[in-house]
Amino acid sequence: MNVLTLGSGGREHALAWKLAQSPKVDKVWVAPGNAGTAIDAENVPIPENDFPALIKFCKENDVSLVVVGPEAPLSAGAVDAFAEAGIRAFGPSKKAARIEGSKIFCKEVLNKALVPTARANVFDSAEDAYRYIDESEPGGFVIKADGLAAGKGVAVASTKAEAKEAVKRIAEDRAFGDAGSRFLIEERLSGQEASVLAITDGRTIVTLQPAQDHKAAYDGDKGPNTGGMGAYCPASLVDDEKLAWIEEKVLLPTVVEMNRIDAKFKGVLYAGLMMTQQGPRVLEYNARFGDPECQPLLSRLKTDLVDIVEATVDEKLDLLEPLEWDPRPAVCVVMASEGYPGSYKKGAPISGLEEAAKLPDVKVFHAGTKLVDGVVVANGGRVLDVVALGDTVADAKRKAYEAVSKISWEGSWSRTDIADKEINAVRNKRVE
Ligand code: AMP
Ligand code: GLY
């Protein structure tokens, strides 16, 4: 069969690479893709939100399965549009994707399903929010714009003044446009974070191994939040017991509640969790694979991704054999452009990709790259995702950074401490 993947980041490169390994697949297309997907698949120059053009392309090229990577086309109704045209597509419907697209909707689902999450209040007026902050106990607040804001619509404030400043930015200055016309003020929780992703067809859930992202830009989790500067999988922070608890108390009740409100969720349900002293709490849901968590996850997944995708679309996940994983841990280091997550330059040629590709157990996924006259150039903030498998997490980290050291372009940089938390946790356990 022919498969189309929508998107152009590292997650989509990993998806296309994995889909192409399936014996069931003749050809994988990526729209619009990047320089990496042009190597492991074939690019189609159609924007990911131009559904009529994508449907036309699918019909003309005998594409029978579409895998949607990013949240924007899901929230815009990509899966509904393909389904209407008779093309099977993997991902939640527009209605179900609201679990990511509206933080207020997500909070309502969590509360109705009795899933542990931060207490929150909803506002549509800055004045009301200022009054609420004034009348609250001092301490932390988290302000969240309701709508999609490319991961930037959340402000964690330590003081009332900071909280008010965030409300002003979101609700008065409209830094995120209409996404900020309604917003939440949440209690601030503390603890380590983990990503637990499950594939669901609305009836069955298949939980993937836990992963951890590194959202802060700089070493030691310092600096501004980014889309993610690295990830590893599995994350021992979520042991088997916690994972079973999360399935029972978080994922399953959410899937049931989504059915109850006639918004059946099919696709990847990604729980962003904080491990607090009181137990795991959901910070947010995403309606898709995490980026960069997807890259180490798929690097370890041995099961045919097409089997998983088809079973989800056809609502037959209960018949899927248990997932098979490479037992080796995977570490993913993101290489970024100077200036990211602020403004950055594009167009610098990247060197060392061939050398890095020769290293064993290493795969370089492209996130923001473009081919210009046969040369791969940096074309984004997050540019490359270097993944390595190792016998231990420390070994995987060493191999990933060895590959990183071969690659450069003007202004390239990465964090140097990806997976250190896991390495220290494993080391401490051994000492105990
Ligand atoms: P979200 O997009 O809701 O996951 O928020 C982005 C980041 O903000 C999370 O990864 C956390 O680091 C932080 N965050 C979100 N909600 C809270 C909360 N209630 N307490 C503390 N930190 C939070
Ligand atoms: N890595 C965080 C996200 O995909 O939202």
Side-chain angles (χ1 to χ4, degrees), residues 103 118 142 144 154 186-189 193 215 283-284:
K103 290 193 184 285
V142 181
K144 299 186 172 182
V154 174
E186 277 190 13
E187 65 173 323
R188 181 178 176 180
L189 304 174
E193 290 178 49
K215 289 207 169 92
L283 298 179
E284 64 162 350

